[in-house]
Amino acid sequence: MEKRIIAIGGGEIKNKTTLKIDEYVANLAKAHAGDTRANALFIGTASHDSMPYFNSFRKTYTSVFDIKAEVALMVYGEMNTEHIKAKIDKADAIYIGGGDTVYMLEKWQETGIDKMIIDAYNRGVIICGLSAGAICWFTDMYTDYEIMRGQSSEYALRKGLGILEGLMCPHFNEREEDFMPKFTESEFNLAYAVENDCAIEFVNGKLTKSISAGGKAYKITKENGVPIKAEI
């Protein structure tokens, strides 16, 4: 069974800037569902369960691709973990929205949702995420959570869930100038940098391709301490 993660660097699902990527995810979900109607679960923990964000997701996945859209709410106590687990168990695809990555991971670990999502991944459920929902799967994350909270004007490096090897930078078209010197000076030897409206796909933990709706993606390594940026 293939285990698949699609990491989207950024974009606006509300404005359908990632529509080509969403179509790819939707088709995978339909293949996973077989003869039944596909079910996609939106998890918006990073945006504090923003319902307008979920509505934008539903307008794309249901109205455009005829996939049943569900939502898991865990920030304000509307749903208990058993209810959320039932939704995860029914999902053909799980879409993790953007926002505060560190808040999201802390909330998942507090409730045990992280293990439920990883179990779904191991069962072959399609995992997709944008920005915070993209970087969380990697060993290390380049995140703006301190900027979002007004705690700093600097990007930060934090540990992710470690399902995929490497350092992940989203919104690379906006962050390249800051990211590249930090990567050069760091101990990291492998990074993935994904622009808005672009995604990279991993199957069984291995990078397979990029999916572009207008943006680009790069694999960055080091040779004698010098970063080498290769388009995916």
Side-chain angles (χ1 to χ4, degrees):
M1 181 177 293
E2 289 185 337
K3 298 184 290 186
R4 195 180 303 260
I5 293 175
I6 297 158
I8 309 171
E12 294 292 337
I13 194 168
K14 178 180 180 180
N15 299 326
K16 295 185 170 53
T17 68
T18 59
L19 192 63
K20 183 176 178 181
I21 302 164
D22 296 317
E23 181 180 23
Y24 183 76
V25 174
N27 286 336
L28 289 172
K30 289 176 179 179
H32 185 272
D35 294 333
T36 61
R37 188 185 184 198
N39 182 309
L41 177 63
F42 179 84
I43 300 180
T45 318
S47 63
H48 293 255
D49 285 345
S50 166
M51 290 311 292
Y53 197 171
F54 169 63
N55 288 333
S56 294
F57 171 83
R58 180 168 54 191
K59 285 177 182 177
T60 293
Y61 277 78
T62 299
S63 299
V64 178
F65 301 120
D66 191 31
I67 287 177
K68 184 178 181 182
E70 295 278 3
V71 63
L73 303 173
M74 64 190 74
V75 174
Y76 302 108
E78 297 98 325
M79 296 180 184
N80 60 34
T81 52
E82 289 77 13
H83 191 179
I84 293 170
K85 184 179 186 303
K87 286 175 175 282
I88 290 173
D89 289 345
K90 292 178 182 177
D92 297 293
I94 297 173
Y95 186 109
I96 312 298
D100 185 331
T101 318
V102 174
Y103 172 82
M104 176 184 77
L105 290 178
E106 288 174 348
K107 197 70 178 177
W108 285 3
Q109 289 159 2
E110 174 189 320
T111 56
I113 300 299
D114 55 339
K115 294 181 176 62
M116 296 180 194
I117 297 171
I118 292 169
D119 285 346
Y121 164 72
N122 287 326
R123 295 195 307 270
V125 174
I126 312 306
I127 304 295
C128 174
L130 182 146
S131 190
I135 67 176
C136 64
W137 311 108
F138 291 80
T139 312
D140 295 275
M141 312 178 297
Y142 190 71
T143 171
D144 63 350
Y145 83 99
E146 290 185 343
I147 299 173
M148 292 182 68
R149 297 177 184 189
Q151 297 172 346
S152 169
S153 60
E154 300 288 329
Y155 295 103
L157 294 171
R158 289 289 296 242
K159 290 292 179 184
L161 292 169
I163 307 301
L164 302 174
E165 290 293 328
L167 169 64
M168 171 62 167
C169 174
H171 308 289
F172 187 60
N173 50 305
E174 302 168 4
R175 301 182 183 178
E176 179 174 7
E177 185 175 342
D178 187 83
F179 177 77
M180 290 302 292
K182 288 183 178 176
F183 175 74
T184 302
E185 296 165 5
S186 75
E187 62 185 16
F188 297 106
N189 291 307
L190 171 64
Y192 298 97
V194 186
E195 296 179 351
N196 294 344
D197 305 329
C198 189
I200 50 177
E201 179 186 56
F202 290 80
V203 177
N204 299 327
K206 303 293 184 184
L207 177 69
T208 56
K209 63 181 177 181
S210 65
I211 307 141
S212 177
K216 296 180 180 180
Y218 302 90
K219 181 178 180 179
I220 308 173
T221 54
K222 284 181 185 172
E223 188 174 306
N224 298 321
V226 178
I228 306 297
K229 187 173 72 173
E231 187 173 343
I232 299 167

